[in-house]
Amino acid sequence: MLKLNFKDIIYLLLYAIPNTILSFAIVHIINNVLSGNDEFLKGYMLIVFLSTVFYTYLLNVIFQKKLNKYTFKILYENEKKLFNQILKAPLKTIEKFGTERFYTAMEDLRLFADLPFTITHTVSSVLMLVLGVVYMYTLSPLSATIVIILIVLVAVCYFVVMNSMSQEVGKLRKLNDSYYGYIEDLISGFKELKLSSSRRKNIMGKYLGPNRDKSEGLDFRINYIFLSINMISQYGLYFVIAAIMFVLPALGILERSDVIAYVVVILFISGPINNIINLQQAYTRFMVANTRIKRFKSDFQLDTEDAEKNLIVDNNFQSIEFKDVCFAYENKDDEEMFALGPVNLEINKGEVLFIVGGNGSGKSTFINVLTGLYKPSIGEILINGEKTEDLNMDLEDSIAAIFTNNYIFSNNYDNYTIEKNEEYKRLLEVMKLHEVVTDDKEESARRNFSKGQSKRMSMIFALLEEKPILILDEWAADQDPHFRKYFYEELIPRLRDQGKTIIAVTHDDAYFHEADRIIKFDYGKIVKDVKVEKSHNLAESLWME
């Protein structure tokens, strides 16, 4: 998710190299003062020492400010980029994989906020370690080699165990994927859960509870191992120091006069060594998160390109035609399930079409294809007589739709405003909501409504978009009988007179005569296309096999 360019690397080195030299200079002064070197006991050395400390502090403060600014810019830019790419994902992919993957993807993404900091400390630590090792070699090459071997042995033990933890971290992420799915069930199905004690017991006893129990044990084991391994790096260095102070001088490998210098250097590089070892935990999490984000982008068919296609949209809608259009659902194993089509149909400007059929007949699937939410498997779609490759993009400025499970956004994401909008006030009266919504404030229009009122408010928003095609998926099903009659007998004719093309999924056969045409679906195919001329026995003839 984060790539360092050449400029970033140069900037990183411009900080890391001076910081390493200054930090090592501090240790060098301390070492020589403790050793009694006369050159380092003169009065001006206090000023040199304090100046070095001050410049090191100043360098770190300036760099950390820029690093934090860069880090948060990268994080929030990547969040916006991922959200923008999610908006481009096909609907069927979201339906296939579910929404819980979004939450874990966001969680994984936020891990990368620490990546610039981690890389910086890794580079600085490596440079400090190199300088420390070089300094030890100038004192005693053989002793330095032995010390390095001991340090490497401690580090190898750490890395072997740490690398084995990648799979455990991946398992924990998968458990969290399922956990977010259960949370979605709990929130969205709260009313159903409240009505069934057995359902409540099962979701806790068989799903949420076991999931959290497994996560608790796995999370504890991962963190306990991380903690234990971190202690190896700390206490392992004590064994190295013991070897320097007692073993090497006893064997005559290291001069007793150089022991202080060696111990000081080891204490100096112990910080960088601990950083390098402990940062392995962060790199393990980065690798797991990066793998999961790549899989997420692959599963959701997200493009890496941010640029929108510059399509020329023709708002002068005249007709839309389906030629042998088919669409097939697939499960997670890519096995074909329900199929729509082949559909051959032409819809002209100003028509009122009612889409009818039994449950599972393909009505909603057809609506999803018509709106461009589903791309046809085969077949052609023509707009105003011209073939389109992307119906959603070509007609997005022409279609307003209200789906069965309509949703009112918490904010106004459209290009119109409702404050001081006379058309909005008029539509409130048309939809009989003027006594429910008494002002033109956004918060009044976006509060909790009954299902029927919510559908009416969605209708107001759809009409404010001023688009020529209005698609309604069982819109009237949640209305009371009085308003349903008003909708079919007054509102639809009024919208037709305004030039709207209305495509409505409905079961209200008492009002079939208000349509211009009625399209009946059965098993994914159009079985009847009836032009309405009179209401006599219309419903009966449509429902007859």
Side-chain angles (χ1 to χ4, degrees):
M1 291 302 298
L2 176 62
K3 295 181 180 179
L4 293 177
N5 55 39
F6 182 74
K7 181 180 177 182
D8 296 327
I9 295 173
I10 294 297
Y11 180 69
L12 184 61
L13 292 175
L14 286 176
Y15 158 76
I17 294 174
N19 182 64
T20 302
I21 294 173
L22 288 171
S23 298
F24 190 77
I26 294 172
V27 175
H28 183 65
I29 293 172
I30 293 173
N31 183 43
N32 280 276
V33 170
L34 291 176
S35 301
N37 190 327
D38 292 336
E39 292 296 325
F40 287 83
L41 295 176
K42 296 179 180 180
Y44 66 83
M45 286 307 300
L46 174 62
I47 298 175
V48 173
F49 180 77
L50 294 178
S51 298
T52 306
V53 172
F54 175 75
Y55 286 128
T56 306
Y57 167 78
L58 192 62
L59 178 64
N60 276 277
V61 167
I62 294 173
F63 179 78
Q64 291 300 329
K65 179 181 178 181
K66 291 184 176 296
L67 179 64
N68 280 324
K69 184 177 180 180
Y70 174 76
T71 298
F72 286 112
K73 179 182 178 182
I74 289 293
L75 171 64
Y76 289 104
E77 284 296 324
N78 273 295
E79 282 188 339
K80 289 188 290 185
K81 181 179 179 181
L82 190 58
F83 272 113
N84 187 44
Q85 291 175 339
I86 288 171
L87 289 173
K88 299 175 184 178
L91 173 63
K92 68 173 185 178
T93 306
I94 295 176
E95 294 174 338
K96 180 178 178 180
F97 290 102
T99 58
E100 61 271 10
R101 293 279 297 278
F102 290 135
Y103 300 115
T104 50
M106 291 296 109
E107 185 180 327
D108 287 332
L109 182 60
R110 295 202 71 85
L111 282 175
F112 285 89
D114 294 328
L115 185 56
F117 173 84
T118 303
I119 293 174
T120 301
H121 277 256
T122 301
V123 173
S124 296
S125 298
V126 169
L127 290 175
M128 289 181 185
L129 181 59
V130 169
L131 278 179
V133 169
V134 170
Y135 185 68
M136 285 194 294
Y137 267 98
T138 62
L139 298 176
S140 173
L142 181 58
S143 298
T145 302
I146 293 173
V147 169
I148 291 170
I149 291 172
L150 292 174
I151 292 174
V152 168
L153 288 175
V154 174
V156 166
C157 294
Y158 181 92
F159 286 124
V160 168
V161 178
M162 284 293 294
N163 287 331
S164 68
M165 295 305 297
S166 295
Q167 292 183 350
E168 299 297 300
V169 174
K171 290 178 183 178
L172 184 61
R173 291 291 184 187
K174 287 182 179 179
L175 284 170
N176 285 338
D177 275 348
S178 300
Y179 173 64
Y180 287 124
Y182 303 145
I183 292 298
E184 180 69 21
D185 288 342
L186 191 149
I187 295 173
S188 300
F190 185 77
K191 289 184 287 187
E192 289 81 356
L193 288 168
K194 291 294 289 183
L195 293 176
S196 173
S197 60
S198 61
R199 195 177 288 139
R200 292 196 301 273
K201 289 178 182 177
N202 286 335
I203 193 174
M204 280 302 302
K206 296 182 179 180
Y207 297 94
L208 259 173
N211 178 280
R212 291 296 86 192
D213 291 340
K214 290 179 182 178
S215 297
E216 178 187 358
L218 191 58
D219 208 357
F220 169 76
R221 186 162 69 254
I222 290 171
N223 283 281
Y224 178 73
I225 291 175
F226 281 153
L227 177 62
S228 300
I229 297 302
N230 289 341
M231 293 177 69
I232 288 177
S233 66
Q234 177 183 347
Y235 289 96
L237 286 175
Y238 292 154
F239 286 101
V240 175
I241 292 173
I244 293 170
M245 292 191 299
F246 303 108
V247 179
L248 296 182
L251 295 175
I253 297 174
L254 182 65
E255 295 292 333
R256 181 64 63 179
S257 59
D258 292 331
V259 168
I260 293 177
Y262 255 72
V263 171
V264 170
V265 171
I266 288 295
L267 292 175
F268 167 71
I269 66 175
S270 65
I273 290 173
N274 279 324
N275 280 340
I276 293 171
I277 293 176
N278 294 338
L279 287 173
Q280 177 66 15
Q281 176 181 348
Y283 283 115
T284 300
R285 295 185 182 275
F286 289 146
M287 287 188 292
V288 172
N290 190 55
T291 300
R292 288 169 55 83
I293 290 174
K294 285 182 177 178
R295 188 182 303 120
F296 173 84
K297 293 175 70 176
S298 174
D299 288 344
F300 281 79
Q301 303 173 27
L302 303 184
D303 298 324
T304 55
E305 297 292 332
D306 281 336
E308 291 281 355
K309 295 178 181 178
N310 295 318
L311 294 178
I312 301 174
V313 180
D314 185 2
N315 289 320
N316 185 25
F317 169 76
Q318 296 297 323
S319 68
I320 181 170
E321 185 178 358
F322 284 61
K323 288 187 174 182
D324 296 321
V325 170
C326 297
F327 173 83
Y329 287 97
E330 296 175 348
N331 60 18
K332 291 185 178 181
D333 297 321
D334 294 329
E335 296 173 341
E336 188 172 306
M337 300 166 64
F338 176 84
L340 175 78
V343 174
N344 289 282
L345 176 68
E346 184 175 359
I347 302 170
N348 295 304
K349 179 180 180 181
E351 279 192 304
V352 175
L353 268 69
F354 285 177
I355 310 297
V356 304
N359 294 331
S361 60
K363 303 185 302 296
S364 294
T365 303
F366 168 72
I367 292 299
N368 284 336
V369 174
L370 177 61
T371 52
L373 295 174
Y374 289 164
K375 289 188 176 181
S377 307
I378 57 174
E380 293 182 349
I381 299 178
L382 284 70
I383 300 174
N384 299 341
E386 296 183 5
K387 182 180 177 180
T388 176
E389 298 295 336
D390 192 331
L391 183 63
N392 179 255
M393 294 295 293
D394 288 344
L395 271 186
E396 70 173 71
D397 284 348
S398 299
I399 291 180
I402 305 173
F403 298 98
T404 302
N405 54 339
N406 71 302
Y407 181 76
I408 295 179
F409 291 107
S410 58
N411 292 282
N412 185 357
Y413 302 128
D414 289 292
N415 291 327
Y416 58 77
T417 59
I418 63 174
E419 292 189 17
K420 299 179 181 179
N421 188 329
E422 293 301 322
E423 179 64 11
Y424 171 67
K425 294 178 182 178
R426 186 188 71 80
L427 288 172
L428 283 174
E429 293 184 5
V430 169
M431 293 296 161
K432 314 298 183 187
L433 288 175
H434 57 288
E435 294 182 355
V436 178
V437 181
T438 56
D439 58 44
D440 59 359
K441 304 298 182 184
E442 286 286 353
E443 53 268 24
S444 300
R446 301 182 185 278
R447 58 184 176 82
N448 289 329
F449 295 101
S450 69
K451 191 61 179 176
Q453 291 174 337
S454 172
K455 288 284 186 73
R456 295 190 211 176
M457 186 57 69
S458 292
M459 176 72 84
I460 291 174
F461 293 148
L463 293 176
L464 286 174
E465 293 182 60
E466 298 182 344
K467 295 182 178 180
I469 304 172
L470 182 62
I471 295 178
L472 308 171
D473 193 353
E474 298 190 38
W475 184 89
D478 297 295
Q479 305 302 323
D480 59 68
H482 172 73
F483 196 87
R484 187 178 304 172
K485 179 180 175 65
Y486 167 76
F487 166 70
Y488 283 110
E489 295 185 352
E490 295 187 40
L491 190 55
I492 282 184
R494 196 181 305 173
L495 293 173
R496 180 199 284 121
D497 292 341
Q498 294 173 5
K500 297 282 187 184
T501 302
I502 301 172
I503 303 160
V505 176
T506 179
H507 293 287
D508 295 323
D509 51 15
Y511 301 101
F512 280 178
H513 60 279
E514 297 295 342
D516 296 319
R517 287 164 62 197
I518 299 178
I519 311 296
K520 183 183 178 182
F521 277 87
D522 197 14
Y523 295 105
K525 296 179 174 60
I526 294 178
V527 294
K528 290 186 179 181
D529 184 347
V530 179
K531 185 175 181 181
V532 179
E533 295 180 351
K534 54 183 179 179
S535 61
H536 181 65
N537 292 329
L538 186 59
E540 183 179 348
S541 63
L542 277 168
W543 295 123
M544 288 179 60
E545 296 297 334

